[in-house]
Amino acid sequence: MDKVYSISDLAREFDITTRAIRFYEDKGLLAPERRGQARLYNHADRVKLKLILRGKRLGLSLEESGEIIGMYNPGSNNAAQLTRLINKIQERRQALEAQKRDIDIMLAELDDAETRCQEALAANV
């Protein structure tokens, strides 16, 4: 029999709130079994949650993560899924590199402005 996890088990394991897990359910990313008010998550749900959180750390939207997770097919080599993930990683890397360039430019401008201010202040003393 497959191991089952409660919402509290998963929240504790992944250090997230139960509210976050319910949010992922509301978005259609997780679909636990229900027994009354209790939610019972199986191994596949646990793996999906792990992948959702990994996607979040990589900067993927929930929609992107859901799309990629939904492409998984246990009977294939999952080349399409892996290619899609690689493309998303490359897009994210390019965006971060552009942000880094912008930050480097801003830091140089701040350094220059601070130097000019310090020189003007020293000339007034």
Side-chain angles (χ1 to χ4, degrees), residues 4-125:
V4 293
Y5 305 86
S6 71
I7 194 168
S8 298
D9 293 336
L10 293 179
R12 195 170 27 259
E13 178 179 352
F14 293 107
D15 195 26
I16 59 174
T17 64
T18 56
R19 184 176 181 185
I21 295 171
R22 288 190 301 271
F23 176 77
Y24 299 140
E25 285 178 38
D26 290 343
K27 294 293 183 181
L29 297 170
L30 297 172
E33 179 185 335
R34 298 278 191 145
R35 286 198 194 139
Q37 292 292 346
R39 293 169 164 87
L40 300 176
Y41 300 85
N42 61 28
H43 178 71
D45 294 322
R46 184 186 164 280
V47 170
K48 283 181 186 178
L49 180 57
K50 185 176 183 177
L51 294 174
I52 291 164
L53 296 173
R54 182 176 296 154
K56 185 177 174 184
R57 284 192 309 274
L58 292 175
L60 300 179
S61 70
L62 287 179
E63 291 77 20
E64 290 168 331
S65 289
E67 174 192 344
I68 292 167
I69 291 166
M71 293 174 75
Y72 178 70
N73 180 355
S76 76
N77 66 5
N78 293 297
Q81 179 195 37
L82 294 170
T83 300
R84 182 76 172 131
L85 180 55
I86 289 167
N87 290 338
K88 284 296 173 185
I89 289 169
Q90 290 171 345
E91 288 174 15
R92 184 67 178 142
R93 180 178 287 115
Q94 289 172 354
L96 288 172
E97 287 172 351
Q99 287 177 334
K100 185 176 182 260
R101 284 190 298 275
D102 291 345
I103 290 170
D104 289 341
I105 290 167
M106 178 69 75
L107 287 171
E109 290 175 2
L110 289 170
D111 288 344
D112 184 51
E114 183 180 20
T115 299
R116 284 191 315 241
C117 289
Q118 288 175 342
E119 290 170 353
L121 186 60
N124 289 333
V125 176

